[in-house]
Amino acid sequence: MSELELESFPKSGLLTIDHQNSQDNVKRRRVSDFGSTSRTNANSANIVLQGSLSLSSTGLVDVILLHDRLIWKNTKLHGNWDSLPCWRQTNVPCELPIAEIYAVESLDDGAAQRKKGSSLFCHLLQEEAPWMNHFAVHSFRRSSSRKCQWIPKAYIFGHEDLRICEAWVESIQGLLDNDKQRPKKLLIFVNPYGGKKAALRTWERVIPLFHQAKVKTKVIHTQRLGHAFDVLDKATEEDLSLQDGIVVVPLLEENSFKPNAKDGHNSNLCNFELDSSVSTETFTNFANELNQYKGSITMSTPQLRIGIIPAGSTDTVVISTTGSRDAITSALHIILGDNMPLDVVRLISWKSSNLSKEREEPRVRYAASFAGYGFFGDVAKESELFRWMGPARYDYVGAKVFLRHKKYAAEISFLDMGEKSNVKANSVGKYSYQQGKVHTKNINQVICRMNCPVCARGKDDTLTNAAEKHPIGRSSKTPFGWETARWRTSHGIFQSVGAAVMSCRNDKAPDGMVAHAHLADGLLDLIMIRDCSRPAYLRQLIELSRRGDNHLSFNFVEHYKTPMFTFISHGEESVWSADGELFPAHKLSAQVFRGLVNIFASGPEV
């Protein structure tokens, strides 16, 4: 594999085995928890294995395997060898968290690998035996040039005794198997038409990683719109219970959140087991929503996790949840069993158009990234006619829609949480920001990242117990910030209305629709672009496309954080786009369910 870096370990030596391998679950810790060097002595009770091994391109090393990390340092040699450059390079102890090891395997090549450029003199000093048995510990390194990108890296250890190598492989593999977060079986949906038909090549690029990690995969190539949904619809609960997650390559462009009424749960394309018992009795009267919050359907948290391998047009969800659009990085997150909750917004269309009959069956869609109306809906609708252009269709259609400069009359009501913070608000409650700056002192403007404090706060006092997740709605406790919540209504002419559940970072908007949107805070960012001139709207769109600018600072832009809102159109209508899927709605209600689904990700590391 071209992305694979081999960091070999030379040397043979005597190995002392301590058979204290515990069956306890491995505590999942990353390298940031340890630092670059070992600062504490290993407790002998935590030692699984220890001894001397050769590390390719390094030399003879003393290795200690603990339940949560692998530690090695150069074996001290007799004589004054510390002055040699090849020896000083690895004189500091190194640590590798078990949580960052995705595979271990025996090698039968019998040949030690010497680091490119190292001198034969230094290689001989490392006393490589004429015949060595080797095993590889597969991990990754973080790219120095691309944030959040992981690059596979193999450490090659060696020993003259084959049984010694087998003991190390067995012990490390035992620790990996004990990590219950790591998937053992995955159901893979590959959309061969996604990302300019590059999905198959992308999957072929990452599948060796799954084989190395001994993850069993069942691959299904989707042949038509709704194929994946039909497969899951026919699957029994027992069939799905045998899988540890569902992976899509890429996130299919059909609506991945269609409800399914089987057994009171919803088994859909992206593994969202959502309750589908939606009826006109959910809210007794649409007008009541505008006056007070009536509660909502209880949504069950799905047990299976969803993974996404980026190979699509924008890959917004992947970029927002991992910080990288790299397929290898996403595959490693899945293999390592990274897990994080993700908010989902439920959209209910109570009336599809102003010409529809007054009482029609409500229709439901779920969106995990963005739902837009007006400019966004028009672009999504007209882009369907130019799918043959690939991602370039968005630029072409976007220019056409912009020049047309259509405006839509609407009434939008939302629940104002009334949170007190350092964010200044004007007389109508609109948040205002200093253009081009992000105030990190304000908790509402902290960038979402790994171990995000905003996503962790007020989540029924904790986010650590995944089994006790509750959506915003009825629960035994008052949800965080709801004590002062009240409804606000906004009337007017709008260029667009957008609801961002996450930052929605992509190539067109490097900072996303809202740079400080969060993945699991139970709120969406409601963005309303009021009537403005073409030049003003163009400036706003240009700032959206540039990193570091603030497109929310214009006086015709209103931005609110809210858990739910309602929408009624007046006059000529556009269409809603829910994660790229068209969703006509004359009357619409939207509600966020906090941490409703779990995905194979950990949040951006920066």
Side-chain angles (χ1 to χ4, degrees), residues 12 15 65 79 149 191 209 217 409 427 435 457 535 562:
S12 61
L15 179 67
L65 176 63
Q149 181 176 339
N191 176 13
L209 299 176
T217 59
S427 58
Q435 184 169 341
R457 85 176 164 161
T562 179

Side-chain angles (χ1 to χ4, degrees), residues 28 30 35 42 203 400 450 498:
R28 302 178 60 78
R30 286 288 163 82
W203 173 243
K400 290 179 57 180
M450 181 185 292

Side-chain angles (χ1 to χ4, degrees), residues 11-26:
K11 290 316 127 214
S12 61
L14 297 178
L15 179 67
T16 302
I17 304 178
D18 186 350
H19 298 283
Q20 298 186 32
N21 190 0
S22 171
Q23 298 302 313
D24 296 338
N25 291 343
V26 176

Side-chain angles (χ1 to χ4, degrees), residues 196-227:
K196 290 186 176 181
K197 300 182 180 181
L200 287 175
R201 294 194 301 272
T202 300
W203 173 243
E204 292 172 355
R205 181 182 170 212
V206 302
I207 194 172
L209 299 176
F210 290 89
H211 290 164
Q212 285 179 334
K214 298 179 176 60
V215 178
K216 297 180 180 179
T217 59
K218 179 180 180 181
V219 182
I220 298 176
H221 295 135
T222 58
Q223 302 299 324
R224 53 182 169 79
L225 185 67
H227 185 185

Side-chain angles (χ1 to χ4, degrees), residues 222-235:
T222 58
Q223 302 299 324
R224 53 182 169 79
L225 185 67
H227 185 185
F229 173 77
D230 292 341
V231 170
L232 295 175
D233 184 45
K234 295 177 182 178

Side-chain angles (χ1 to χ4, degrees), residues 340-602:
M340 69 175 298
L342 190 67
D343 290 345
V344 172
V345 60
R346 182 186 62 194
L347 305 172
I348 302 179
S349 173
W350 301 92
K351 189 176 180 181
S352 58
S353 73
N354 55 7
L355 301 178
S356 303
K357 57 184 179 181
E358 189 60 31
R359 290 182 64 84
E360 62 180 62
E361 190 68 20
R363 294 174 300 111
V364 182
R365 289 292 182 271
Y366 295 88
S369 58
F370 183 79
Y373 181 87
F375 177 83
F376 303 109
D378 292 346
V379 171
K381 183 178 180 179
E382 296 190 27
S383 294
E384 292 298 311
L385 302 175
F386 301 93
R387 298 187 67 86
W388 55 270
M389 296 179 62
R393 66 186 183 271
Y394 298 115
D395 294 331
Y396 172 69
V397 175
K400 290 179 57 180
V401 173
F402 170 78
L403 292 175
R404 200 155 51 234
H405 202 59
K406 294 187 68 172
K407 308 162 189 176
Y408 300 95
E411 175 184 322
I412 304 166
S413 298
F414 62 95
L415 195 62
D416 186 357
M417 301 303 293
E419 294 184 8
K420 293 183 178 180
S421 65
N422 295 329
V423 178
K424 296 181 179 179
N426 61 20
S427 58
V428 297
K430 181 181 71 174
Y431 297 143
S432 60
Y433 306 97
Q434 186 173 348
Q435 184 169 341
K437 295 183 179 179
V438 176
H439 303 284
T440 56
K441 292 183 179 180
N442 175 12
I443 195 167
N444 287 321
Q445 291 185 300
V446 173
I447 300 298
C448 193
R449 61 188 186 280
M450 181 185 292
N451 302 320
C452 176
V454 176
C455 293
R457 85 176 164 161
K459 178 61 175 178
D460 290 334
D461 299 329
T462 180
L463 272 180
T464 57
N465 191 347
E468 295 181 357
K469 293 190 183 77
H470 294 289
I472 288 188
R474 294 172 181 168
S475 69
S476 58
K477 299 180 181 180
T478 301
F480 183 86
W482 282 65
E483 297 82 356
T484 58
R486 59 174 179 161
W487 282 96
R488 292 181 180 271
T489 301
S490 180
H491 305 263
I493 307 297
F494 300 93
Q495 299 283 161
S496 66
V497 178
V501 192
M502 58 177 61
S503 63
C504 299
R505 294 184 178 90
N506 57 77
D507 293 341
K508 303 296 183 184
D511 286 338
M513 294 298 298
V514 183
H516 51 273
H518 288 269
L519 298 170
D521 64 346
L523 301 173
L524 60 80
D525 289 85
L526 182 61
I527 305 170
M528 295 179 284
I529 311 295
R530 289 190 174 272
D531 184 19
C532 61
S533 65
R534 280 190 181 89
Y537 196 23
L538 180 60
R539 288 196 299 270
Q540 196 266 343
L541 293 175
I542 291 175
E543 291 213 3
L544 173 63
S545 65
R546 296 193 302 202
R547 189 181 300 277
D549 284 347
N550 186 2
H551 67 286
L552 303 176
S553 62
F554 294 87
N555 57 11
F556 55 84
V557 178
E558 296 186 28
H559 172 217
Y560 307 88
K561 286 187 176 292
T562 179
M564 64 188 311
F565 70 91
T566 62
F567 171 90
I568 304 176
S569 64
H570 299 289
E572 186 179 5
E573 295 182 322
S574 177
V575 63
W576 281 88
S577 171
D579 282 350
E581 186 74 7
L582 300 182
F583 188 52
H586 168 65
K587 290 184 177 181
L588 176 138
S589 63
Q591 181 187 359
V592 178
F593 289 87
R594 187 173 191 181
L596 181 60
V597 300
N598 294 307
I599 62 174
F600 288 106
S602 58

Side-chain angles (χ1 to χ4, degrees), residues 269-337:
L269 172 65
C270 289
N271 183 40
F272 293 149
E273 298 165 298
L274 306 179
D275 186 359
S276 61
S277 54
V278 178
S279 67
T280 54
E281 287 74 28
T282 303
F283 297 105
T284 57
N285 187 293
F286 182 81
N288 288 340
E289 270 195 274
L290 307 182
N291 299 320
Q292 64 180 26
Y293 175 68
K294 288 292 186 184
S296 66
I297 303 170
T298 300
M299 307 291 285
S300 59
T301 301
Q303 300 301 313
L304 294 177
R305 283 170 287 175
I306 176 174
I308 307 172
I309 304 295
S313 300
T314 59
D315 298 315
T316 294
V317 175
V318 173
I319 298 174
S320 299
T321 55
T322 68
S324 174
R325 198 180 179 180
D326 178 60
I328 295 293
T329 301
S330 294
L332 291 175
H333 278 288
I334 296 171
I335 293 171
L336 293 173

Side-chain angles (χ1 to χ4, degrees), residues 9 49 53 65 70 96-98 100-107 134-139 153-158 164-178 182 208-215 335-336:
F9 292 96
L49 209 58
L53 297 172
L65 176 63
L70 182 68
L96 185 62
I98 299 299
E100 294 190 0
I101 298 175
Y102 69 87
V104 59
E105 61 179 341
S106 298
L107 303 178
H134 296 90
F135 64 94
V137 177
H138 295 279
S139 183
K153 183 176 183 178
Y155 299 90
I156 311 300
F157 291 93
I164 297 298
C165 291
E166 292 175 346
W168 279 94
V169 171
E170 181 181 353
S171 297
I172 296 175
Q173 186 63 55
L175 294 178
L176 302 184
D177 293 340
N178 287 336
R182 298 182 185 230
L209 299 176
F210 290 89
H211 290 164
Q212 285 179 334
K214 298 179 176 60
V215 178
I335 293 171
L336 293 173

